[in-house]
Amino acid sequence: MANTTAFDQVPSGKKPTPFITWQRFVVYSVLGVCALFFLLPLYIMVITSLKSIQEIQGGNIFVPTMSPSFDAWEKAWNSACTGLYCEGIKVGFWNSVKITGPSTVVSIAVASVTGYSLANWPFKMSEFYFTVLLLGSFIPYVVMLYPLVIITRWMGIYSTLPAVVFVHTIFGLPILTLLFRNYFASLPQELFKAARVDGAGYWGIFFRVFVPMSVPIFTVAVILQITGIWNDFLFGVIYAGPTNYPMTVQLNNIVNSAMGGKAYNVDMAATILTGLVPLTIYFVSGKYFVRGIAAGAVKG
Amino acid sequence: MHSVSVQSLTLKFGAAEVLKNLNLDVAEGEFIVLLGPSGCGKSTLLNCIAGLLELSEGQIHIKGKNVTWAEPSERGIGMVFQSYALYPQMTVRGNLSFGLKIAGMAKDEIEKRVQRASEILQIGPLLDRKPGALSGGQRQRVAIGRALVRDVDVFLFDEPLSNLDAKLRSELRVELKRLHNRLKNTMVYVTHDQIEALTLADRIAVMRGGIIQQLAAPQEIYNRPSNLFVAGFIGSPSMNFMHGKTVDGGTAFETAGTTLSLSGYEGGAVGARDKAILGLRPEHLEMVDAPIPGKTIPAMVEIDEPMGADSLVWLKVGDVPVSVRVPVENRPEHGKSVHLKVDISKASVFDAVSEQRI
C-alpha cells in the first residue's frame, strides 16, 4: 500500500470527446446544405402547384403563395389534356396500377420459383443456365426492344396490357432470380433436407417452409419491382398501346401538349401525383428499400 | 432380417469417389455409430441411407424393402440434424405435426402422437412456443420428437449433439441411450466424437476415406483395433506407438535398443518382420524403478498432467513421447529415469507396411 506511485495516475488512451466538436459542426453543416439543395426542387414544385397561373407569371418562383389552392391538383387529376382526351392524369394512374400490379406479382412469382429451383434442386447445366440468365442483365434494354415488339406481335398481345406485363416480367427476371437464388441458398441446407424427410415435395417445401421464412426478401423484391415498374416510361410507351399508357407517359403528354400558355401549376401537380407512389414506398419501407438497392447494385 | 442393409454402395461427386464399394448391415434394434474424422464420408453415407443423396452404384434395403430409389419420406426413417433444422415459423407443435399433416393423417391421431412424443421427451410445456424461444437442448429434443412422431423403424442422427455445450451434450447423450432402451428402434448415428461413439454404440463403424476400417463392438475396437488408423483414432489420450522390428523368430520385439518378450500376446505368433509397430494404451504401461528383462523399457519422465481422477505422465523412450496413466498420488519427479513395464497381453502389434494388426 505504501507504494501507490507504482500505478499510473493518468489513464492511458484518449478521453471520449463531447458530442459537439468543430469537426462534427462542419460535417453537419455540409450535410444540411446538401439536403436543402436536393429538397429545393420539391419545394418549388409544391408551392408552384398551389399558386394560380397569374401568381406564377407575376412572381418569384421561391416565394410561397399567399392564397394556396388545390385547383391545379384537381385539374391535373380530372381534366388535364393528355393528347386527344382531357380526362386528367387519373387515367394514367389507373393504367399504371393495372400494369404495376400484375407485373410485380408475375415477375416475383416466376423469379422466386426459378431462384428456388436453382438453389435447391440443381439439375444438369443449372449453373450454366443461371449464368446465361445473369448475362441477360448486362445486355442493354434497347437491343431487345424491337425483337420484343415482333415477339409480342407474333403472340398477338402487342399494344395491350399483357404485352407490357410480359416485358416487365422478362426484364425483372435476371436480378430477381439472383436475389431469390442467393437468399434461398443462404437458408440452412438441413432445413430443406428435414422437409424432404418429412415428405414435403417441390411445392410443399417452397410454399410451406421457404416462403414463410422469406418475408424480408419478398418485401425487397416487391419494393424493387413496384418502384421500377411505376417509374418506367419506355416499355409503357412501346408495348402498352395508347389506351393503356401508364402515368409517366400521360404526364409527359400533359407537360408537352401545347394548348395555350403553359399551365405550370397543373404540370407541377401532375408530376407530384405521379411521383407520389414511389415516394410513399421510399418513406414507408426505408430499410427494406436500402436492401433492395444494395441487391440491385450487383447489376452494374 | 437386417433393419438397414447397404450393399456395395459407391458414391461419386464428379471424379471423386466419396464412398467406395461400401457394405453395412445393421441388425434390428441395433445402435450403430459411424465414426471418423471430417471428410471420411460418414455423413454422406447417412444421407444416402436417408435418400437425400443419389448413389452412383449399389443398393440400400430398409426392413427388407429395396429403397435404393425411394423418396426419403417413403423409407420409414426419421432424421435428426446437427443444426436441429426446425421450421422457424412454426410452433413446436407445428414442427412435430408437419410431416404427419403432409402424409394426410387424421387430426386426432396427429394429436395423440404429438402428445406421446412430448411426454417421452418432456417438451409438453414448450408445444406452443416457436423454435427461436427455445434453448439448444430443447431444440434438439424437438428435433428428436419430429423423428419420433413419425413412428419410424430407423432413426438417423447426423452429429446431433455437436452444437451443444459439453455439459448438455453429456446429459443428452444419456437421454439418447435411455430413449433407445425404451424404444428399441434401429439407430444410425454419425459423430466425430469417440466418447459418444464408445458410450452409445452397440457397434461402431470407424470410417476413413469412404471405407469402413473396422466394424465391431466398442470394446473390441478399443482393445483390438484392426489397423493403425483405428488404433490412433480411438482412445484419448491416444495409443502409444513404438517403431521397431520383431526378433527371435517373432517371439520378441526390439525397439530403442530394448527387447520385449511377446509371449502372452493374444494375437499369437507374429512372425519375423523387419518393420513392426507396437501399440500400447497409456493404462497398459506401469512405471517401475527396477528393470525386468524382457518386460520393461527404460524411459525418462518429462511432464505430468493431473486430470482429477488420475494423472497422465509423459515420458520419453529414446526420442519417442510416451504417455502413461497413473494414480494421481503417484506424481513422479520430472527428469527422473524410470522403467516402463509393458502389459503385452493388452498390446497390439502392427505391420509397419500394411498397417494391419498382426
Side-chain angles (χ1 to χ4, degrees), chain A residues 171-183:
Chain A
F171 282 104
L173 269 187
I175 185 66
L176 289 181
T177 305
L178 174 74
L179 202 68
F180 280 107
R181 190 197 90 112
N182 290 354
Y183 186 82

Side-chain angles (χ1 to χ4, degrees), chain B residues 35 194-195 198 204 206 214 216-227 230-240 266 279-284 325 346-348 350 357:
Chain B
L35 177 69
Q194 48 169 311
I195 304 293
L198 292 169
I204 299 176
V206 183
Q214 187 173 10
Q219 215 49 48
E220 173 76 10
I221 288 205
Y222 188 80
N223 290 335
R224 280 176 286 274
S226 68
N227 61 37
V230 176
F233 191 76
I234 299 274
S236 172
S238 54
M239 189 182 262
N240 299 301
E266 68 168 8
L280 288 161
R281 296 221 178 262
E283 60 268 34
H284 299 148
R325 204 186 283 275
K346 303 270 175 63
S348 297
F350 301 95
R357 190 173 201 265

Side-chain angles (χ1 to χ4, degrees), chain B residues 201-261:
Chain B
D202 292 327
R203 280 195 300 162
I204 299 176
V206 183
M207 291 181 69
R208 180 174 66 158
I211 295 169
I212 294 180
Q213 304 284 320
Q214 187 173 10
L215 173 63
Q219 215 49 48
E220 173 76 10
I221 288 205
Y222 188 80
N223 290 335
R224 280 176 286 274
S226 68
N227 61 37
L228 211 53
F229 170 76
V230 176
F233 191 76
I234 299 274
S236 172
S238 54
M239 189 182 262
N240 299 301
F241 293 119
M242 291 176 207
H243 291 254
K245 60 180 180 185
T246 59
V247 290
D248 297 342
T251 59
F253 184 86
E254 191 188 300
T255 182
T258 316
T259 307
L260 290 167
S261 162

Side-chain angles (χ1 to χ4, degrees), chain B residues 156-223:
Chain B
L156 306 175
F157 293 92
D158 194 355
E159 307 217 15
L161 306 182
S162 299
N163 277 12
L164 302 171
D165 62 60
K167 188 167 178 290
L168 211 54
R169 201 181 308 163
S170 54
E171 279 172 25
L172 266 170
R173 203 171 65 210
V174 176
E175 256 178 70
L176 267 177
K177 192 149 192 173
R178 224 174 263 144
L179 189 72
H180 180 239
N181 277 344
R182 174 168 176 180
L183 299 174
K184 305 241 182 311
N185 287 51
T186 307
M187 299 196 171
V188 183
Y189 187 108
V190 164
T191 184
H192 62 262
D193 182 325
Q194 48 169 311
I195 304 293
E196 277 172 34
L198 292 169
T199 52
L200 289 170
D202 292 327
R203 280 195 300 162
I204 299 176
V206 183
M207 291 181 69
R208 180 174 66 158
I211 295 169
I212 294 180
Q213 304 284 320
Q214 187 173 10
L215 173 63
Q219 215 49 48
E220 173 76 10
I221 288 205
Y222 188 80
N223 290 335

Side-chain angles (χ1 to χ4, degrees), chain A residues 33-100:
Chain A
V33 170
C34 286
L36 281 180
F37 179 76
F38 286 111
L39 278 174
L40 198 61
L42 183 67
Y43 165 76
I44 291 172
M45 281 169 69
V46 172
I47 59 162
T48 308
S49 73
L50 297 173
K51 288 175 184 173
S52 69
I53 203 80
Q54 290 82 4
E55 212 176 343
I56 294 167
Q57 284 162 346
N60 183 320
I61 59 165
F62 294 105
V63 180
T65 172
M66 290 301 108
S67 50
S69 115
F70 278 93
D71 289 353
W73 288 65
E74 202 275 329
K75 191 172 176 225
W77 183 251
N78 277 325
S79 60
C81 295
T82 57
L84 292 176
Y85 308 97
C86 290
E87 292 169 1
I89 203 158
K90 67 169 188 286
V91 184
F93 175 84
W94 290 115
N95 284 345
S96 275
V97 170
K98 278 188 264 178
I99 292 170
T100 308

